[in-house]
Amino acid sequence: MPPTSEGPDPNQSRVAVVGLGQIGLPLALLIAQDRHVTGVDVDQERLARIRSGELPVTEPEVQELFEARSERLDLQSSVPDEHHDTYVIVTPTPLNPNTLVADLEYVRAATASVGSALSPGDLVVLESTVPPGTSTAVVLPTLEAEGIDRGEFHYAHCPERALPGNTVREMVENHRVLGVTNESAAAAATDLYGFVSGEIHLTTPTTAEFVKLIENTYRDINIAAANEFAILAERAGIDGREAIELANEHPRVDILSPGPGVGGHCIPVDPLFLTQAHPDARMITVAREVNNAMAGHVLSLVRQLVGGRTQKITMLGVAYKGGVADTRETPATRFHQLAKNEGYEIAAYDPHVESYQHELVPFPEAIAGSNCLVILTDHPEFDDLSPQRIGEAMERRMVVDSRGILDREAWLRAGFTVRTLGDGRGIPSPDAERDTQAATPTGSMSQ
Ligand code: SAJ
């Protein structure tokens, strides 16, 4: 559990946290360690769930925090009229799917409500991820619109940095970047983040905005490199994952893992916040294209195996990454749409996800009569997946492993045809032939 620290008297400090989502609710509970918090959310259903204790956030430790601190958490559907000394805005900044530009409407609306409640000496913190310059061009002028001057209140941008699946621990332990307008804002915001055991680094609001975006963009580019290496390895007839592992033995190389693409609400989106007004930022754009193309590449592996396209295939995992129930921007959806458009009959199973835009079925139903298993998510549950567990349920024994999690040799021995993304061993391509003839005995090839 988070460390305790001295803070202001809870009877004196009142903090409003606007937006009780995946980050806002855990944040409100962490701040409630030593302050009274009013959680604000426009979604009445969400508020009702929190009130009932059936929390809409299923991250580890959130439930315990709620049970320990709910008496210091009030809930409201609008920014309270009564005075609060601190306002934290944690509303979503989705990407407009048509224009691919950041939609700042939730941030604008929250900021306007906070602006009308603001008194001299108050602190406003923005945690939402925003394009560089948003604090200066949008947030501060909106706060000032109600008549208060930016010199009269404190402002900080403190972009969230927590990994979904480990949100609370990362909110407590990760270093934080605080973009502040002046020294008193720095002192007030550092005090608010007293629950953080990591270091607090001070900078300007625009730099803080930029830092958050380049962190996730760096990851996107690194994954794109891994994905491109994987495709080139397939063509070279070698195991790309082995090659990456060996390259990572170098002290200054740290390549990430190839996969079916990049999902989640941050990494596929944040690079576009950087480039939306800068179309000349080529590498970031190309990395996005490479990662988006991976679902189609996985489908091409399925097509090579299965051939005729009216046949049933089984998607294993629709969450955007292993161990989570989140399907936002998941590459599985792109795969599903492409496969459906090619005429495949699709059955999808996920041990974590409860609600998804396409039907999910239980595991036995998903594999019954299937021609090909397609692993799309590296859920820990799939570590137990074995040919023995499949038994005789499938029509044909084929598997495409886009995450490289199966024991390939065991599946080959059990009579499965196996395609692992990034592994060109056994793939009959002209490039591959040269290397496989030279280095791989035919008996260990996948067909
Ligand atoms: N992925 C790969 N190969 C890899 C690593 C990830 O294909 O080697 C894929 C995953 O399967 C997933 C996507 O990338 O589809 C993103 O997963 P992730 O675990 O890299 O990131 P998120 O979106 O769960 O959380 C990220 C985190 N960023 C980093 O790990 C650098 C987190 O620290 C951020 O706070 C969070 O985004 C956010 O909110 O910005």
Side-chain angles (χ1 to χ4, degrees):
M1 293 298 284
T4 52
S5 76
E6 293 291 302
D9 180 344
N11 296 321
Q12 282 172 18
S13 179
R14 291 180 73 83
V15 180
V17 175
V18 186
L20 296 176
Q22 296 295 315
I23 297 294
L25 181 58
L27 179 66
L29 292 168
L30 287 170
I31 295 172
Q33 168 182 274
D34 55 9
R35 299 171 193 237
H36 192 93
V37 177
T38 304
V40 181
D41 202 293
V42 290
D43 184 344
Q44 294 285 0
E45 208 181 305
R46 200 170 184 84
L47 291 178
R49 278 193 68 175
I50 300 171
R51 276 194 193 101
S52 73
E54 197 200 314
L55 301 182
V57 177
T58 53
E59 287 281 327
E61 299 190 41
V62 173
Q63 191 71 39
E64 291 107 294
L65 278 180
F66 179 78
E67 279 156 23
R69 299 180 180 176
S70 59
E71 80 284 358
R72 286 202 293 281
L73 177 70
D74 285 337
L75 297 168
Q76 285 191 205
S77 59
S78 58
V79 172
D81 292 332
E82 68 271 22
H83 181 246
H84 285 60
D85 50 85
T86 302
Y87 297 86
V88 187
I89 298 168
V90 206
T91 47
T93 41
L95 190 73
N96 181 305
N98 300 318
T99 59
L100 300 185
V101 172
D103 177 353
L104 296 177
E105 284 321 303
Y106 298 110
V107 167
R108 269 185 226 274
T111 307
S113 326
V114 168
S116 55
L118 215 52
S119 304
D122 290 349
L123 169 68
V124 180
V125 177
L126 176 72
E127 275 232 9
S128 313
T129 304
V130 291
T134 303
S135 291
T136 312
V138 176
V139 179
L140 285 165
T142 308
L143 291 171
E144 286 175 311
E146 293 290 328
I148 189 164
D149 186 81
R150 71 182 65 179
E152 295 176 77
F153 64 91
H154 310 304
Y155 178 76
H157 175 50
C158 185
E160 61 91 358
R161 264 183 159 179
L163 187 74
N166 197 23
T167 298
V168 173
R169 188 130 306 273
E170 292 220 345
M171 282 175 126
V172 171
E173 291 176 0
N174 287 357
H175 304 324
R176 298 300 292 260
V177 176
L178 272 180
V180 290
T181 43
N182 55 41
E183 275 179 24
S184 49
T190 304
D191 197 35
L192 178 73
Y193 285 92
F195 62 83
V196 172
S197 62
E199 293 160 19
I200 303 272
H201 296 280
L202 298 175
T203 183
T204 66
T206 307
T207 306
E209 292 163 349
F210 198 84
V211 168
K212 162 73 192 203
L213 297 176
I214 62 172
E215 286 168 5
N216 282 350
T217 302
Y218 164 78
R219 196 160 171 85
D220 199 39
I221 292 170
N222 192 331
I223 297 169
N227 283 333
E228 199 153 281
F229 296 153
I231 290 173
L232 294 174
E234 283 177 17
R235 292 185 191 154
I238 61 161
D239 178 2
R241 283 191 171 75
E242 182 197 359
I244 289 174
E245 244 173 65
L246 292 172
N248 284 347
E249 294 291 332
H250 185 287
R252 287 173 296 283
V253 174
D254 190 10
I255 304 164
L256 293 173
S257 306
V262 171
H265 64 297
C266 290
I267 296 188
V269 171
D270 293 356
L272 300 170
F273 284 16
L274 269 183
T275 60
Q276 59 183 21
H278 304 282
D280 53 334
R282 296 260 307 119
M283 190 171 67
I284 299 172
T285 307
V286 170
R288 283 282 64 241
E289 285 168 12
V290 168
N291 289 334
N292 280 340
M294 290 311 289
H297 180 68
V298 177
L299 182 60
S300 76
L301 299 180
V302 173
R303 200 187 298 124
Q304 283 165 25
L305 286 192
V306 176
R309 299 176 196 164
T310 52
Q311 304 181 53
K312 175 171 173 176
I313 60 171
T314 304
M315 289 171 60
L316 294 181
V318 299
Y320 80 92
K321 68 173 185 178
V324 302
D326 195 336
T327 59
R328 285 176 294 177
E329 316 293 331
T330 175
T333 300
R334 189 178 279 263
F335 176 87
H336 191 288
Q337 285 165 347
L338 290 169
K340 195 168 175 202
N341 286 355
E342 290 199 8
Y344 287 106
E345 181 195 333
I346 302 160
Y349 164 74
D350 191 295
H352 287 259
V353 176
E354 279 168 22
S355 99
Y356 182 50
Q357 66 187 93
H358 301 292
E359 188 191 9
L360 295 173
V361 295
F363 185 72
E365 195 181 319
I367 62 169
S370 177
N371 292 274
C372 185
L373 307 176
V374 189
I375 306 223
L376 290 162
T377 309
D378 46 353
H379 282 312
E381 288 80 356
F382 295 155
D383 291 349
D384 298 338
L385 205 59
S386 64
Q388 290 67 37
R389 215 177 133 202
I390 302 298
E392 299 302 316
M394 292 176 68
E395 177 73 25
R396 289 198 285 168
R397 292 166 84 75
M398 295 178 168
V399 58
V400 169
D401 178 6
S402 76
R403 298 282 186 171
I405 57 174
L406 296 185
D407 177 349
R408 188 170 178 268
E409 296 305 319
W411 287 75
L412 288 172
R413 279 197 303 276
F416 273 81
T417 306
V418 182
R419 283 278 182 277
T420 308
L421 185 148
D423 190 343
R425 290 173 296 167
I427 297 183
S429 88
D431 279 8
E433 219 167 87
R434 189 190 55 230
D435 271 24
T436 46
Q437 273 171 4
T440 317
T442 318
S444 73
M445 285 163 45
S446 60
Q447 292 225 75

